[in-house]
Amino acid sequence: MKIYAFRLNDDRWVFYAPSQPAEAASEPAPHTRWGRFLKRVQKLQAESVEVMRTSRTRFWVWTRKMMAKLERLVHPCEPMARALAKVEEIELVHDGIHPNEEVVARWCAWLSERTTGHRRGIILNACLLPLTSAAMVIPGPNVFFAWNALRLYGHWSAWRGLVRAAAIGRPLVTTDERLSVAEPPTIECIRRMADRAGLPGLPEYFSRLKALSGPTAH
């Protein structure tokens, strides 16, 4: 699996992988207890989204806005972390300006940081399950329980992928001079670089990470 590494001018590092078509393979089989539970939650979530989309009542309009804000808080690297659960090897690609050893060290630090973050998310969402279950008294589908349960699964599957990546050991490191990021990394320069490197999803990824600077970053 190729993962692209970028060092920003404030010494932050960003790691990015294009969307993985095999990501869905990490979901539990539907015949398992957890798989059946997840399928019911996904159905409940779909029903909740439909109610929020069509209802004009004040409660559901408020709920729709709140859920949109919560979705924006989901870390954009989560799909990549989930996809790592199925990989056999990792290739880090960077612009060649920095030593390979530094890139590997930053990657390992990133893995550790994100593993800790998702572990905390698992604990938080697990603790919220009883509370969100209590929202069953509200008429209509329990969007709060569905969202919380799916976030619990999201954190767990991302955590599993990150642990898997750490267990693989030292990744292969290669360079690509097209990945050079200008300073400051404005949206325009990121788009140009993404076009050169064939990474169409990169500008949105940077924006969600708040990794851009300048008036066009928002």
Side-chain angles (χ1 to χ4, degrees), residues 20-38:
Q20 302 296 309
E23 182 191 338
S26 64
E27 294 189 359
H31 60 271
T32 65
R33 180 180 298 179
W34 176 237
R36 291 193 297 270
F37 171 75
L38 179 63

Side-chain angles (χ1 to χ4, degrees), residues 46-56 60-61 64:
E47 293 173 352
S48 302
V49 169
E50 181 62 20
V51 171
M52 287 189 294
R53 187 182 67 84
T54 58
S55 177
R56 293 294 180 266
W60 286 107
V61 170
R64 181 172 65 245

Side-chain angles (χ1 to χ4, degrees), residues 136-150:
M136 289 289 187
V137 298
I138 300 174
N142 190 345
V143 61
F144 304 103
F145 174 78
W147 189 88
N148 186 65
L150 289 177

Side-chain angles (χ1 to χ4, degrees), residues 2 33 41 46 52 71 76 96 103 127 139 155 179-180 192 203 210 212:
K2 281 189 176 183
R33 180 180 298 179
V41 169
M52 287 189 294
E71 288 294 338
V103 177
C127 291
H155 282 301
L179 300 179
S180 178
R192 289 194 296 269
K210 300 186 184 301
L212 303 174

Side-chain angles (χ1 to χ4, degrees), residues 150-168:
L150 289 177
R151 289 308 307 135
L152 174 59
Y153 172 73
H155 282 301
W156 172 79
S157 55
W159 173 85
R160 186 178 64 164
L162 294 165
V163 171
R164 166 67 179 170
I168 290 175

